[in-house]
Amino acid sequence: MLRLLLLAALLLAHGEVRAETPAEKAGFAPRLIIYNAKGPANACGPGCDRWIAIEGQVDEGAAARVSRFLRDVKDSKRPIYFHSPGGSVRPSYVIARLLRSRKAVARIGRTIATACAGGTQIDAACLKVKAAGGEVEAELTTRNAMCNSACGYLFLGATTREVAPDAVVAVHNSRLTLLARGPFSAQQIAEFKQRSMARADQERAAFVVSMGISRELDDLIKTVKFESLHVLTRTELYRFGIDTRPLPETPWTLEAASRPYVRKMAVAKQGDGTAFRTMEWRLFCENKDRARLMFVRESDQAGGALKTMMLMAGSDKSVAFGKYPARVGKYEVWSDVVAPDAMQAMLAASRLQMGEGTLSAEGKTTLATFDIDTLGLGASWTQLLSSCPANTARPAAASSSLNIKPAPAIPALPTTPATPPK
């Protein structure tokens, strides 16, 4: 009995439940870092230009550092953006409960420090900037941001949780790492490991429920091997109670591709939330006076009925896409010219309205609409114009409701967020 107690003491002292694989560590700081960031106007939402960044691997000392940091942040409404591959589980629970006590707003996003533009964001010079204690000038993006494994437990602690359409939360089961000292048999170590993992499973199940999340999440985690990862689908995020927004959307952002464009994504709840539909808008500059808007979405599985699509900025300015989209795989692509007056109306509006008209067999058209915001549209369009060619020839009179065929070259269609490393 004495030997067993000694074994337990030694293993508990050197045992650590982890939830990230070694390959996931690439590209992240070796320990969790937390700092204040400041960006352009509306960088983190309407009227928001300051946020808290939490990134890197969750280490055993992370909870104490996060606690000290949050004690000095008086603005409890300042959003927190996570970007982490995971790490140690136990401190993740502690941090999550700290966030719950603050009624924190949590999102998944990458904070890109301006001073680190020439580095990797995790090199020694950049980490020194982030650890200096002041506000770090930065930009914010949700594209390919992740909160995997143990990071997901931190995220669950917030009372408001938002996962952008181009960010991911991925889960898998944990692994117990043990360092045993002494003449202990393999059977003794295996038995202790089995008991420890059973206790860890019980703690996780209780934690998930205490955060107001469906038990289904814990059931799912238990089925995913530690060496693998399961990216939570939008339906799962909704069903488990992690992000229950009916229309999550990204701001309009400039994409620095070979042909730059302004991009926005959204996922729309269908019916009771058992399915979501992915949509994307791409705004191109053909010349200083001529823009093109491309709207891409997953095809309607029902199909059949003749549809028309339009985007409206106010009651009198619209872009009508016509009746015949191009079809590429499971996507349908609508495209049209945006006349200068319609472009100005879009830039001036705080909300835009998408309309879908469906022609019935009886010849009647029903119109279904939903709103999207214009956050980031003005700034991104201004950036895009700087690389736009001059208008050398006046095009034929372009109407804001002119229907033309889609552009011959269709850029890469929307993809699901990048699969996290395994």
Side-chain angles (χ1 to χ4, degrees):
M1 181 61 70
L2 181 61
R3 286 176 61 84
L4 287 175
L5 290 174
L6 179 60
L7 170 64
L10 288 171
L11 292 178
L12 285 174
H14 299 90
E16 182 183 0
V17 179
R18 300 191 64 81
E20 108 282 17
T21 61
E24 290 179 75
K25 299 178 182 180
F28 291 91
R31 68 176 196 160
L32 201 70
I33 57 177
I34 179 170
Y35 57 95
N36 284 308
K38 181 182 184 302
N42 304 317
C44 46
C48 176
D49 63 358
R50 287 173 167 83
W51 65 94
I52 296 170
I54 296 183
E55 58 193 34
Q57 299 173 51
V58 184
D59 59 289
E60 285 296 306
R65 291 196 304 277
V66 172
S67 179
R68 286 194 299 269
F69 181 92
L70 292 179
R71 277 200 300 265
D72 296 331
V73 179
K74 306 306 179 187
D75 182 7
S76 61
K77 296 182 189 255
R78 185 172 294 192
I80 300 174
Y81 283 82
F82 291 98
H83 183 49
S84 167
S88 297
V89 172
R90 201 170 301 277
S92 296
Y93 294 162
V94 177
I95 296 170
R97 293 186 173 100
L98 285 173
L99 300 182
R100 181 56 55 101
S101 68
R102 289 175 63 88
K103 296 182 172 56
V105 175
R107 299 168 184 155
I108 314 298
R110 294 186 293 131
T111 299
I112 303 172
T114 306
C116 308
T120 63
Q121 295 291 318
I122 59 166
D123 56 75
C126 188
L127 292 179
K128 185 177 180 180
V129 169
K130 294 177 178 180
E135 282 188 336
V136 177
E137 294 285 341
E139 294 182 354
L140 188 60
T141 180
T142 57
R143 186 153 196 189
N144 295 330
M146 64 181 72
C147 185
N148 297 345
S149 309
C151 176
Y153 304 138
L154 276 68
F155 189 64
L156 295 184
T159 52
T160 299
R161 298 175 293 264
E162 298 178 359
V163 183
D166 52 0
V168 298
V169 176
V171 300
H172 60 181
N173 214 334
S174 303
R175 180 176 67 183
L176 182 66
T177 303
L178 300 174
L179 176 60
R181 296 176 181 174
F184 306 116
S185 68
Q187 181 179 352
Q188 287 175 315
I189 293 176
E191 289 174 354
F192 182 82
K193 185 175 182 179
Q194 184 178 19
R195 290 194 299 271
S196 297
M197 284 306 300
R199 185 167 57 250
D201 287 344
Q202 292 172 357
E203 290 176 352
R204 184 187 61 239
F207 169 80
V208 167
V209 173
S210 71
M211 294 295 110
I213 303 300
S214 170
R215 290 179 182 271
E216 288 183 272
L217 174 60
D218 182 61
D219 294 337
L220 172 62
I221 290 173
K222 288 187 290 189
T223 67
V224 183
K225 293 182 179 180
F226 173 77
E227 296 77 14
S228 185
L229 277 172
H230 173 79
V231 176
L232 295 179
T233 65
R234 180 57 55 173
T235 301
E236 288 169 338
L237 290 169
Y238 182 85
R239 190 173 77 244
F240 298 161
I242 298 172
D243 184 350
T244 57
R245 294 175 296 162
L247 184 68
E249 52 186 309
T250 68
W252 298 79
T253 55
L254 180 67
E255 293 292 320
S258 56
R259 182 187 178 187
Y261 61 95
V262 177
R263 170 181 179 265
K264 180 183 182 66
M265 280 189 70
V267 285
K269 181 169 73 77
Q270 307 294 292
D272 60 359
T274 54
F276 279 77
R277 193 179 200 180
T278 302
M279 300 172 288
E280 182 173 326
W281 294 260
R282 297 187 177 192
L283 185 61
F284 296 88
C285 178
E286 297 188 343
N287 57 51
K288 298 295 184 183
D289 295 326
R290 185 183 175 96
R292 176 174 292 280
L293 181 63
M294 185 177 292
F295 174 57
V296 187
R297 70 176 183 180
E298 291 178 294
S299 300
D300 186 355
Q301 298 301 315
L306 189 63
K307 298 179 183 294
T308 56
M309 295 298 302
M310 65 184 69
L311 182 144
M312 296 165 280
S315 58
D316 58 343
K317 300 296 180 185
S318 66
V319 179
F321 294 106
K323 302 177 181 179
Y324 305 104
R327 298 190 181 276
V328 182
K330 67 175 183 177
Y331 296 100
E332 54 189 39
V333 184
W334 308 74
S335 176
D336 205 351
V337 166
V338 184
D341 57 346
M343 188 70 236
Q344 291 305 311
M346 288 172 59
L347 294 172
S350 60
R351 305 284 295 175
L352 301 174
Q353 191 174 62
M354 287 295 300
E356 177 177 354
T358 303
L359 183 64
S360 68
E362 295 77 23
K364 296 181 179 180
T365 299
T366 58
L367 182 65
T369 63
F370 64 91
D371 286 357
I372 58 174
D373 65 39
T374 56
L375 187 66
L377 177 59
S380 299
W381 178 248
T382 299
Q383 288 179 281
L384 184 61
L385 277 179
S386 65
S387 62
C388 192
N391 184 14
T392 56
R394 189 76 179 174
S399 165
S400 59
S401 60
L402 178 67
N403 299 326
I404 66 173
K405 294 181 180 179
I410 299 174
L413 295 178
T415 59
T416 55
T419 301
K422 295 183 180 179

